[in-house]
Amino acid sequence: MTRNAMSQAVRYGALMMAAGLSMTAGVAQAQDSKGTVKLAYVEWASEVASTNVVRAVLEQQGYDVEMESLGAAVMWQAVGTGDADAMVAAWLPTTHGDYMAKVKDQVEDLGPNLNGTKLGLVVPAYTYEKVSSIADLNANADLFDDKIVGIDPGAGLMAQTEDAIDEYGLDNMQLQSSSGPAMTSALASAIDDKADIVVTGWTPHWMFARWDLKYLDDPKKAYGDAEHIDTVVHKGLKEKMPQAYAILDNFHWTPDQMGEVMLMNQEEGSDPYENAKKWVEENPDVVAEWTDGTAQ
């Protein structure tokens, strides 16, 4: 064999070995995966934070994870039908109560993953000095260009706000649909101009850390009392993926912890998934509480 032919043979052999190693690694990686967990969520700052953190933890434990952003009604339907395995974005008992009622026989509520939530109408602190109650909005509609800036039309918060408008007889106010990001953008612009604005708001949300905001008083309890955010899974997940089920069942954090991730997500050019992985790496003790004792 000539030297040139030998060199070609060596190169061919090396390529085949590399290809073989690559195939072996791919098979090993596929074998290492414990399966795919499908998470549904709504495009709220709080749920973007929590769902990405859960994704990062599940991936750390060997699962592949798919996330899908949906409207609230469709999110509940997806978990009910099994098109999604779980959500950590169930605002109960009021905001998503109607959605829960429709699929209660197909899902399992694992309980709160965050306590201390609140819903209502929010204004800058300088506006609160002039208008402090929902009951005062009608008489001061001109301060707000006759509108309440809302979020996505399918959100439970929007339905509650429509009920609040009826409850308080706010004939002079119109609820304007938009989205979570559009609402905070409008709020930021108004605050920059020291203009009056009223928006649909909820806690936890990063906007309360960035600006001095106040909830309008709600003497008629149109928005109900404090809620909690629950983890809800499709029935059968416990048998299908017991470790993933256990992690989801253990998942619980505080508004301050969620707020840390939400603020990270507001940094220009940041990636919520990368931020979630960073938070998980920097909070091993918290994550251990969710994963300890869950190994299969």
Side-chain angles (χ1 to χ4, degrees), residues 227-248:
E227 294 195 296
H228 42 82
I229 306 176
D230 287 15
T231 299
V232 174
V233 302
H234 181 69
K235 279 189 175 177
L237 181 64
K238 186 174 184 178
E239 291 72 30
K240 177 184 172 185
M241 296 182 183
Q243 185 189 13
Y245 174 94
I247 292 169
L248 288 163

Side-chain angles (χ1 to χ4, degrees), residues 102-248:
K102 293 177 182 178
V103 298
K104 63 181 181 180
D105 294 332
Q106 289 79 48
V107 302
E108 182 180 357
D109 184 355
L110 302 185
N113 60 61
L114 187 141
N115 290 298
T117 67
K118 185 175 181 178
L119 301 169
L121 296 182
V122 174
V123 298
Y126 57 79
T127 297
Y128 188 81
E129 295 174 2
K130 294 176 279 188
V131 179
S132 60
S133 173
I134 298 175
D136 298 330
L137 283 176
N138 220 38
N140 294 278
D142 57 324
L143 287 177
F144 309 101
D145 293 328
D146 304 328
K147 67 185 179 185
I148 298 168
V149 180
I151 54 173
D152 48 294
L157 175 57
M158 293 291 279
Q160 284 180 268
T161 302
E162 292 281 9
D163 291 341
I165 288 172
D166 292 338
E167 181 74 15
Y168 284 94
L170 304 182
D171 301 330
N172 296 332
M173 300 292 291
Q174 296 288 327
L175 178 59
Q176 176 181 297
S177 298
S178 59
S179 66
M183 178 272 288
T184 53
S185 177
L187 183 60
S189 295
I191 290 174
D192 285 344
D193 295 336
K194 293 294 182 183
D196 295 304
I197 187 172
V198 56
V199 304
T200 55
W202 63 94
T203 302
H205 195 292
W206 58 266
M207 64 185 180
F208 289 95
R210 177 161 295 181
W211 301 300
D212 189 3
L213 304 173
K214 300 283 188 182
Y215 279 98
L216 291 179
D217 299 340
D218 181 11
K220 294 187 178 183
K221 298 284 186 181
Y223 287 94
D225 295 317
E227 294 195 296
H228 42 82
I229 306 176
D230 287 15
T231 299
V232 174
V233 302
H234 181 69
K235 279 189 175 177
L237 181 64
K238 186 174 184 178
E239 291 72 30
K240 177 184 172 185
M241 296 182 183
Q243 185 189 13
Y245 174 94
I247 292 169
L248 288 163

Side-chain angles (χ1 to χ4, degrees), residues 35-41 46-69 86-89 231 244 247-248 251 253 261 271-281 287 290-291:
T36 299
V37 181
K38 297 180 180 179
L39 300 176
Y41 70 105
S46 54
E47 310 322 319
V48 170
S50 60
T51 307
N52 274 286
V53 165
V54 169
R55 173 188 175 182
V57 173
L58 287 170
E59 288 179 341
Q60 192 182 73
Q61 298 301 308
Y63 290 93
D64 293 324
V65 179
E66 295 178 2
M67 288 174 52
E68 186 169 11
S69 172
M87 60 171 139
V88 292
T231 299
I247 292 169
L248 288 163
F251 173 58
W253 60 348
V261 181
D271 182 335
Y273 174 51
E274 295 300 325
N275 291 338
K277 289 195 294 184
K278 180 181 178 182
W279 190 91
V280 165
E281 290 171 1
V287 175
W290 306 338
T291 59

Side-chain angles (χ1 to χ4, degrees), residues 255-275:
D256 285 345
Q257 289 167 337
M258 178 186 274
E260 292 174 12
V261 181
M262 286 194 290
L263 280 175
M264 292 167 66
N265 291 346
Q266 295 311 303
E267 295 176 8
E268 186 175 355
S270 68
D271 182 335
Y273 174 51
E274 295 300 325
N275 291 338

